[in-house]
Amino acid sequence: MKITELLKADTIQLDLQSSSKEEVIDELIGTLDKAGRLHDPKGYKEAIVAREEQSSTGIGEGVAIPHAKTSAVKTPAIAFGRSQSGLDYDSLDGQPAHLFFMIAASEGANQTHLETLSRLSTLLMDQDFRAILLEASTKEEILIAIDEKEKEKLGGEEEEETSAPKEESGKRILAVTGCPTGIAHTYMAADALKDKAKELGISIKVETAGSGGVKNKLTSQEIEEADAIIVAADTKIEMERFSGKPVIQTGVTDGIRKPHDLLEKAVKGEAPIYKGSGEGAKSEEGEQTRGGFGRGIYKHLMNGVSNMLPFVIGGGILIAISFFFGIESADPAHPDYNPFAAALMSIGGEHAFGLMVAVLAGFIAMSIADRPGFAPGMIGGFMATTGDAGFLGGLIAGFLAGYVVIGVKRLLANLPKVFDGIKTILFYPLISIFVVGILMYFVIIGPISAFNTFLEGWLGGMGTGNIVLLGIILGGMMAVDMGGPINKAAFTFGIAMIEAGNFGPHAAIMAGGMVPPLGLALATTFFKSKFTKDERNAGVSNYFLGSFFITEGAIPFAAADPGRVIPSIVIGSATAGGLAMFFNAGLPAPHGGIFVIPTIQGSPLAYLLAIVIGAVVTALLVGFWKKPVTK
C-alpha cells in the first residue's frame, strides 16, 4: 500500500491557521473528521494527547508527527498540515515546527496499513525531502513528491539482513527500538541508527518493536556474539536475553536525535553490563544504574554537568570580557561605569551563572526520573542558589528531586486509570515540588547557611594567628564549593580585611580562587586521556576563566568526579594561598584576576609564581588520581 492511499487531497492543509501546539492538533483532527476518517473526534484527541504526554512527537528539524492507534479511527489515514511561519510544538530541538503529519491508525489496522504509516516517518528523515514539502505550492505537488520519494526508498532498499556480520574492526553492534504507539518513532530511530552506522562504517542489526509486532528479531546467537547492544525504547522490551552483555539503555528519541553518540559509546566499549532482573536492571521508571549504584550516580551527574557546561563557559567568558572595560565598570556608582560592561556582567553573572546550578540539578533529576524530575530539580537547584547553598546544594537538590519523583510514581502507581491523563501534569509536579521545596527550605539550606555564618566568625578570630596557615585555609576554602557558602565565607572575610586595611588575606583568597580552573585547564591539556571531548573543550575556556578569577569554571569537573577533583583543587588552592602569604603579598582590589596583579603589594612576580605552583599541583594530582575515560 502506498502512502498516498492514506494521505489524500482532502486531508491536506497547506496553510495552517494554528498558532500553538493544541490548536494544530485540533485543526488536523478537524480535517480528518471532516474527511470522514474518524468515528469519535473527541476520543481520538484523547489518544493523541495521551501520546504527547509520554514525550513530544515534535521530532525536530521542523517536523512533528502526532499519532495514535485507537478505535476512535474509522479508516486508517494521514493528515498533513504546513505552517510556513512555524509554531512552538515542544519539539526535541526546541525549534519551531513547520510540517505536521497526523497519523490515525484504527485499533484493527492490518499489517499493510501499519507498515505504510511507519514508512512515512522514515521518509521524513531526509532533509531534501522536507525542503520539497515546504516549497510545494499545491496539494498535488505534495502527493507527487511523496510518491516519488517512496518509490526511491523502496527501490533502493536492500533486503534487510538476518544477521549482524562482523566488521574488520571486530565489533558487532545490535539495537532495539520501540515507542508506546509503535508507528512512527520506532522506525525513525531504527532508520537513524542504520543510516548513521552506514555512514560510520559500522555493521548493525536493528530489531523494531512496532505496532505490528517485533520485526527483524535478534537471535540468541547474535546476542551472544554481540560486542554491545543499544536499546532505544520507551516501551517494554524483553531485556533478560541481554543479561551479562554491554547494553546502552535510552529513550527512543535519543535513537532519532543522537545515533552518532550511541554508536560511538557502543563501539568504544562504554556500554555498562546489563545484570538482568538484579542490580543494574532497568526499573519501570526508566532508571538504569549502569552496572551498580556508583555508576548510576555517575551517569546522572554527567547528564547534569553536560547540560550545565554552556552556562559556565558562555557566562564566564562574558564576565571576563566585561573586565576589559575596568574591574568596576559594571558598577553604576563607579566612575569607570560602562553600560555595555554592565550588560555583559548581567548576562553572564546574574543570569547565566544564576541559572547554572538550577540547570545542573534539573538535569540530574531528569536523568533519574525522566521528564517529571525536571521541574522539582530546577526549583530545588534555584533554591540552593538563592539560599547560598552553592553547587553542593544543587547536587543534593538534583538527586533529592529525582528520587522523590520516583517515590511519587510508585505511590500513585495503583491509582484508577481515569487519573492517568492528569498524573504527569498535576500530581507528579505538585507533590514532588512541594516535598523537594520543603526539604530544601527546612532541612538543607538552613544548616548550610548556619555553617556559613560559623565559618565567617571562625575566620575572623584567626586574623592575628599564623599568617601562612591562614593563607592555606583561605586558599583551600575557595576551592571546596566554588561559589558556594564556604567559598563565599572566605571571600567575605577577605573583603572585610581589605576594609580594615589588611590586604594579605585577600591575596591568598584570589590566588586560591584562580587555581581550580587553571589547574583543571592544565590537566585537560597534559592528561587528555583522563577527560571527555566536552571536558577538554571546557578546559580551554578555563584558562580564561581562571585568569579572571572565575572559580566557577571548575564546577562541571568537580560535579562529574567530586571524589578526585575536589581534593586535587583544594590542595592546589591551599598551596597557592599559603605561598601568597609566605611571599607577603597584599591585594587591595576585591576582584579582577590578572588585571589587578600589578596592584599587588610585595612582588607581583612572586604572587604569579604562587598561582602557577598551585595550578601545577592541582593538574598533577588530577592527572594522577583521575581514571582514563575509556575505563
Side-chain angles (χ1 to χ4, degrees), residues 323-347:
F323 292 148
F324 283 108
F325 296 92
I327 300 303
E328 303 291 343
S329 59
D331 183 0
H334 198 274
D336 292 336
Y337 173 71
N338 182 291
F340 186 68
L344 293 177
M345 181 63 74
S346 175
I347 296 167

Side-chain angles (χ1 to χ4, degrees), residues 302-339:
M302 288 306 298
N303 190 59
V305 168
S306 63
N307 284 284
M308 180 180 66
L309 274 173
F311 293 82
V312 176
I313 296 171
I317 292 176
L318 288 177
I319 293 172
I321 293 173
S322 75
F323 292 148
F324 283 108
F325 296 92
I327 300 303
E328 303 291 343
S329 59
D331 183 0
H334 198 274
D336 292 336
Y337 173 71
N338 182 291

Side-chain angles (χ1 to χ4, degrees), residues 300-301 304 356-369 372-387 389-406 432-433 435-441 443-445 448:
H300 306 319
L301 272 175
M356 69 180 183
V357 172
V359 170
L360 171 70
F363 280 96
I364 287 174
M366 189 173 179
S367 177
I368 295 169
F374 188 68
M378 280 283 290
I379 292 169
F382 191 62
M383 290 179 71
T385 300
T386 57
F391 100 94
L392 292 176
L395 288 177
I396 294 171
F399 285 101
L400 173 66
Y403 291 112
V404 163
V405 169
I406 285 179
S432 60
I433 290 172
V435 173
V436 170
I438 290 295
L439 289 174
M440 289 294 294
Y441 191 88
V443 179
I444 296 167
I445 292 176
I448 292 180

Side-chain angles (χ1 to χ4, degrees), residues 317-524:
I317 292 176
L318 288 177
I319 293 172
I321 293 173
S322 75
F323 292 148
F324 283 108
F325 296 92
I327 300 303
E328 303 291 343
S329 59
D331 183 0
H334 198 274
D336 292 336
Y337 173 71
N338 182 291
F340 186 68
L344 293 177
M345 181 63 74
S346 175
I347 296 167
E350 295 176 27
H351 296 94
F353 274 24
L355 282 172
M356 69 180 183
V357 172
V359 170
L360 171 70
F363 280 96
I364 287 174
M366 189 173 179
S367 177
I368 295 169
D370 209 352
R371 194 168 179 176
F374 188 68
M378 280 283 290
I379 292 169
F382 191 62
M383 290 179 71
T385 300
T386 57
D388 288 334
F391 100 94
L392 292 176
L395 288 177
I396 294 171
F399 285 101
L400 173 66
Y403 291 112
V404 163
V405 169
I406 285 179
V408 171
K409 286 183 176 182
R410 289 174 178 169
L411 183 67
L412 303 180
N414 295 320
L415 279 179
K417 287 190 176 296
V418 69
F419 294 108
D420 284 354
I422 62 171
K423 278 199 298 189
T424 56
I425 61 173
L426 176 60
F427 295 157
Y428 290 170
L430 175 62
I431 298 172
S432 60
I433 290 172
F434 171 77
V435 173
V436 170
I438 290 295
L439 289 174
M440 289 294 294
Y441 191 88
F442 287 107
V443 179
I444 296 167
I445 292 176
I448 292 180
S449 297
F451 184 57
N452 184 18
T453 302
F454 164 76
L455 283 175
E456 290 182 32
W458 179 62
L459 288 172
M462 283 193 64
T464 57
N466 186 305
I467 197 69
V468 175
L469 176 60
L470 180 61
I472 291 172
I473 293 172
L474 290 172
M477 289 178 66
M478 292 299 292
V480 171
D481 56 357
M482 295 150 286
I486 297 175
N487 172 287
K488 287 180 179 177
F491 188 81
T492 301
F493 173 73
I495 297 297
M497 291 297 99
I498 290 176
E499 292 175 352
N502 183 354
F503 302 135
H506 205 69
I509 287 165
M510 192 174 82
M514 293 172 70
V515 161
L518 288 174
L520 287 163
L522 288 173
T524 60

Side-chain angles (χ1 to χ4, degrees), residues 23-39:
E23 287 179 7
V24 78
I25 287 174
D26 286 337
E27 189 170 351
L28 290 176
I29 289 174
T31 299
L32 288 170
D33 186 41
K34 185 178 179 180
R37 307 304 200 273
L38 303 177
H39 280 302

